[in-house]
Amino acid sequence: MGSLIEKILTPKKQTPHVTAVIVAAGSATRMHGADKVLTPLDGEPVLVRTVRAFETHPQIDEIILVVRADQKETVAAMVEAQGFSKIRGITVGGGTRTDSVMAGLDLAAPETTHAAIHDGARPLITEAVITAAVETAFRTGAAAPAIPLKDTIKVADRGVVTATPNRSALFAVQTPQVFDFDLLRGALHKAQTEGTVLTDDCSAVEALGMKVHLTQGDEENIKVTTPLDLVVAEAILQRRQTT
């Protein structure tokens, strides 16, 4: 991986081309039977709101959607009805997050220099959060929005506390996580080859010894995974519409 890292650290001369890969291939088991990305949020499906944030962002050049096989036709009809112009393709996700992200990257345009990986169930992402992550990734190769943790965290073994980490050094990482395209593909390929299970894409890049730079996240950039999250998201939208 040494040559890959050297390549990443060499400043690119070409014009940046950012491909957003929106991953929406989860099983939604915590939504009590509802499909979280197709569930209405203030009158529109969650995924529509998520896609629109990237569709309207000036630094996003194209969008790839990664969905479940049983969703593909529904999602295709939905995005066509919305008239989104940046959708490059819709593909089916794999058995793991890594497989799903790689499936999306496989559809990226040849000129892609950076990939922004975003959860389809984060519909409240703002332009400012996207911009901060994208521009930091342009400079550093890897960036992700994050917010400091408010709660005290306990490490436990079989219900017994074994440690209390220093909260000041702990952050909740959000998406979009933005990377140099070649760096991310190389990191995810390595994870696939080694059978490493990842919960986010930063972990794959960190495993190569590359630094991931944190940017300012947003407390409202929540991931809709439970019915309560949907209630909170509705409240946030209503507040935004009245301010």
Side-chain angles (χ1 to χ4, degrees), residues 162-175:
T162 59
T164 304
N166 182 355
R167 187 175 62 188
S168 65
L170 300 177
F171 292 81
V173 179
Q174 303 176 338
T175 64

Side-chain angles (χ1 to χ4, degrees), residues 22-28 31 33-51 65-80 82 84 90 119-123 224-225 230 234:
I22 299 179
V23 184
S27 60
M31 281 295 288
D35 193 319
K36 61 184 177 182
V37 295
L38 300 180
T39 298
L41 174 59
D42 196 29
E44 288 189 314
V46 166
L47 186 57
V48 166
R49 291 187 175 276
T50 302
V51 173
L65 301 181
V66 184
V67 301
R68 297 198 315 267
D70 63 310
Q71 294 175 324
K72 190 174 181 181
E73 289 187 8
T74 300
V75 171
M78 183 177 68
V79 297
E80 183 177 358
Q82 291 292 326
F84 292 133
I90 303 173
D119 298 321
R122 289 188 190 269
V224 178
T225 57
L230 198 61
E234 291 272 7

Side-chain angles (χ1 to χ4, degrees), residues 67-175:
V67 301
R68 297 198 315 267
D70 63 310
Q71 294 175 324
K72 190 174 181 181
E73 289 187 8
T74 300
V75 171
M78 183 177 68
V79 297
E80 183 177 358
Q82 291 292 326
F84 292 133
S85 62
K86 291 183 180 180
I87 302 293
R88 178 176 175 84
I90 303 173
T91 190
V92 174
T96 67
R97 180 181 176 84
T98 298
D99 294 338
S100 293
V101 173
M102 285 292 274
L105 295 179
D106 285 343
L107 294 185
E111 63 268 30
T112 299
T113 61
H114 293 78
I117 315 301
H118 189 66
D119 298 321
R122 289 188 190 269
L124 303 179
I125 182 67
T126 64
E127 180 174 314
V129 172
I130 297 173
T131 299
V134 167
E135 293 186 348
T136 300
F138 285 167
R139 298 192 305 271
T140 67
I147 57 174
L149 289 183
K150 294 180 178 179
D151 297 327
T152 297
I153 301 299
K154 299 291 184 180
V155 179
D157 180 17
R158 288 172 289 186
V160 178
V161 173
T162 59
T164 304
N166 182 355
R167 187 175 62 188
S168 65
L170 300 177
F171 292 81
V173 179
Q174 303 176 338
T175 64

Side-chain angles (χ1 to χ4, degrees), residues 17 21 32-33 47 78 99 116 134 147 156 160 163 177 179 187 189 239:
H17 182 98
V21 176
H32 299 174
L47 186 57
M78 183 177 68
D99 294 338
V134 167
I147 57 174
V160 178
Q177 297 178 3
F179 309 92
H189 177 71
R239 184 191 58 77

Side-chain angles (χ1 to χ4, degrees), residues 18-21 54 97 101 105 114-119 122 125 129-130 133-134 137 141-146 172-180 184 188 198-206 212-215 221:
V18 183
T19 297
V21 176
F54 290 84
R97 180 181 176 84
V101 173
L105 295 179
H114 293 78
I117 315 301
H118 189 66
D119 298 321
R122 289 188 190 269
I125 182 67
V129 172
I130 297 173
V134 167
V173 179
Q174 303 176 338
T175 64
Q177 297 178 3
V178 188
F179 309 92
D180 176 281
L184 180 59
L188 293 179
L198 304 173
T199 56
D200 79 338
D201 307 292
C202 289
S203 300
V205 172
E206 292 162 22
V212 176
H213 295 255
L214 298 183
T215 59
N221 183 23

